[in-house]
Amino acid sequence: MTASTTHLWRLWKWGRTLARHGALRGIEQDPMTPPQVRRLAKAIRFGIRVPDTPDYARALQEIGPAAIKLGQALSTRPDLVGDRAALNLSLLQDDIPASPFPAIKQVIESSFGAPLESLFAQFDEVPVGSASIAQVHKAVTTEGRQVAVKVLRPGIEDEFARAMETYEWAAAHVERYGGEVERLRPRLVVAHFRQWTARELDLQREGASASELRENMAAEPNYHVPEIDWRRTARRVLTLEWLDGTKLSDRATLAAEGQDCEALAATLVRAFLRQAVVDGFFHADLHHGNLFALRDGRIAAIDFGIMGRIDRRARVWLAEILYGLITGNYRRVAEIHFEAQYVPGHHNVDEFATALRAAGEPIRGLPVKDISVGRMLESLFSITRDFDMPTQPHLLLLQKTMVMNEGVATALDPNINMWETAEPFLKEWIRSELGPEAYYADRIIDIVRAAKKLPDLVNRIDEYYPPRGAAPPPPPLPEIAVIEHRGWGGYAATALLAAAAGAVAAVGAMQLL
């Protein structure tokens, strides 16, 4: 276990880096910051000239890969770091110098126990992309297929493990201060971050996520997920279909190629809603760099390290919340929050409905096409502090993804509206999930499931209530540590204990007589 002094030294070095970029200013100025933390922040920046405008992204880039990923995770938590910091963190780019090719080659060969030449007929030594966790090389398989090979950086797992221990140590100590800090649950934030990084550090799992998404998106023919080459995929190496396309951020090139940007935007919206609303499994890192327009007009996605999941009940709640905000049924939205236990039960439903009205009415007078999904969700989450609402990381990840999706779609088509584009799709889903047919179908399913449990229930009743005349069940036997027989001494000790136990039993029997 790492010593506390090691954690403190790491935090001190990281803190000095943050201070140089003004990233501790928000901690010092926030009235909700515990006094002890505020004093510590001031001590860390002692002797440093602090810039007027904080640059969180630059500071984390200097600290290293684990800090970059933590910053990307925190960019989904405006409730924790503030809107300004979240916006700055969303600019984080993890392009860093590539690892030398001999080290990358060793990772590949050790992963498959075979020389590189037996797996690939051609392998470009210079990567086409280099990020904090992995880098990507273009290659040609021995079968002649062009592929992209994603390889973990050597030593990256150990680096993340060391940083994660310190993050957990710091979060546990900060959370002890209670109050607002405890409500924001920093330990849970770090726990979710650990889950994210564990998934990203397991490229075989990333391949499985891509494969699952590819199956789900078969219903959306204009959205493409690359095929995984499982023969050349392992925990530290991911091989997938090579894509020739143009990044969606390059609108000028898309126009020059004759791409229909409005159709691309509509496809992007429908694909995301199908992932989030229908399947509950969505690509949660939909920035411009992970989305391409293929030559045939389809959209292709890459980088499946961060995926989001929401269960059916949460999807229904989310749909009702959004629909209620649009139609002004604030009472129903408030009831859903209490049913989902997003709001502690000691609060009043009507008071919460009034708070929702304050957030929803300013946008109700606007035309539907002018309503921003991101602004709507930000208004919804802005009232969490007043009602002691514990943060819901899965919904915050969905919020961030919806805002990112809307931003990319709007860049392609400034006049697009997510709701109008997906209206037929959403109407059908809401009707299928919330309509009378769905209600009675669910009841039938519940009845069938209950009927299947009846035989097992009867058997359990027989076990607990045997018929009259049957022998009662034996009493539970105590657990006894058995002495290991180690030579003659062990046998002698066992014999003495057995003799003593027999004597005690005999005395007990005589007393009973």
Side-chain angles (χ1 to χ4, degrees), residues 27-106:
I27 294 176
E28 293 184 41
Q29 296 177 349
D30 190 343
M32 305 302 296
T33 300
Q36 300 94 324
V37 177
R38 189 179 296 111
R39 287 195 294 268
L40 179 60
K42 290 181 179 180
I44 289 175
R45 69 168 172 82
F46 180 76
I48 294 177
R49 185 176 179 178
V50 179
D52 295 332
T53 304
D55 191 346
Y56 305 97
R58 180 73 178 273
L60 295 180
Q61 283 176 326
E62 285 192 17
I63 292 174
I68 290 173
K69 287 301 176 184
L70 178 61
Q72 291 173 341
L74 290 175
S75 70
T76 70
R77 297 295 305 273
D79 63 315
L80 182 62
V81 299
D83 293 335
R84 184 176 299 178
L87 180 62
N88 179 261
L89 290 170
S90 68
L91 302 176
L92 269 173
Q93 299 295 323
D94 51 3
D95 290 334
I96 59 177
S99 296
F101 178 70
I104 294 297
K105 181 180 180 181
Q106 183 179 4

Side-chain angles (χ1 to χ4, degrees), residues 126-433:
V126 178
V128 295
S130 177
S132 59
I133 286 181
Q135 57 193 60
V136 180
H137 294 256
K138 186 176 182 180
V140 178
T141 67
T142 52
E143 295 84 8
R145 289 182 290 107
Q146 286 191 335
V147 292
V149 185
K150 184 175 182 179
V151 187
L152 285 185
R153 288 179 173 277
I156 193 66
E157 295 103 326
D158 294 337
E159 183 174 348
F160 266 82
R162 289 192 296 269
M164 195 64 61
E165 282 188 355
T166 300
Y167 295 157
E168 292 172 335
W169 185 90
H173 283 75
V174 170
E175 195 165 297
R176 291 178 60 189
Y177 292 123
E180 178 66 9
V181 175
E182 185 179 9
R183 186 189 74 83
L184 294 174
R185 299 190 287 185
R187 295 184 68 185
L188 183 62
V189 174
V190 175
H192 278 274
F193 176 55
R194 178 183 277 279
Q195 288 183 345
W196 289 4
T197 55
R199 295 168 187 168
E200 288 197 88
L201 291 172
D202 185 346
L203 298 186
Q204 191 161 347
R205 183 168 179 176
E206 180 179 338
S209 295
S211 179
E212 181 178 351
L213 187 65
R214 179 181 171 89
E215 291 180 2
N216 292 346
M217 295 308 294
E220 190 63 48
N222 290 326
Y223 190 92
H224 181 70
V225 177
E227 185 177 1
I228 303 301
D229 184 342
W230 287 109
R231 180 191 163 196
R232 298 171 177 86
T233 293
R235 188 179 62 83
R236 307 188 72 210
V237 181
L238 171 64
T239 304
L240 64 164
E241 170 190 357
W242 178 264
L243 300 174
D244 281 316
T246 303
K247 289 186 178 182
L248 294 190
S249 57
D250 193 352
R251 201 174 190 280
T253 302
L254 293 175
E257 292 174 348
Q259 296 277 9
D260 187 343
C261 291
E262 294 182 3
L264 290 173
T267 297
L268 186 64
V269 171
R270 286 196 308 270
F272 169 72
L273 289 172
R274 181 175 296 280
Q275 292 174 34
V277 177
V278 175
D279 301 317
F281 182 64
F282 58 93
H283 192 307
D285 199 13
L286 288 177
H287 59 74
H288 292 90
N290 288 340
L291 294 166
F292 295 84
L294 303 181
R295 302 288 181 258
D296 57 6
R298 293 179 298 164
I299 285 180
I302 60 170
D303 196 354
F304 308 95
I306 302 178
M307 304 295 291
R309 283 193 189 274
I310 48 177
D311 61 24
R312 179 176 177 272
R313 178 175 294 182
R315 299 201 303 274
V316 171
W317 279 331
L318 180 66
E320 285 201 87
I321 288 170
L322 295 175
Y323 186 73
L325 287 175
I326 292 174
T327 59
N329 190 354
Y330 302 110
R331 170 73 188 192
R332 178 55 188 150
V333 176
E335 290 173 349
I336 295 168
H337 276 75
F338 278 80
E339 291 172 9
Q341 297 181 1
Y342 294 157
V343 182
H346 63 268
H347 285 288
N348 183 276
V349 176
D350 293 320
E351 288 293 329
F352 188 67
T354 301
L356 290 172
R357 182 180 295 274
E361 283 300 303
I363 65 174
R364 285 209 61 226
L366 299 175
V368 175
K369 67 176 183 177
D370 293 333
I371 297 177
S372 167
V373 175
R375 204 177 332 141
M376 182 189 302
L377 287 172
E378 286 176 8
S379 298
L380 177 63
F381 286 109
S382 67
I383 64 175
T384 58
R385 177 177 298 175
D386 293 338
F387 287 85
D388 306 312
M389 295 171 63
T391 53
Q392 305 295 330
H394 65 292
L395 293 185
L396 288 167
L397 183 61
L398 178 65
Q399 174 198 6
K400 173 213 173 189
T401 308
M402 291 181 75
V403 173
M404 292 174 64
N405 185 81
E406 185 182 44
V408 175
T410 304
L412 289 169
D413 179 11
N415 296 317
I416 193 173
N417 172 261
M418 290 186 70
W419 298 110
E420 290 180 351
T421 302
E423 182 180 6
F425 174 83
L426 285 175
K427 272 188 176 180
E428 179 60 29
W429 185 84
I430 290 175
R431 187 184 191 291
S432 65
E433 293 296 321

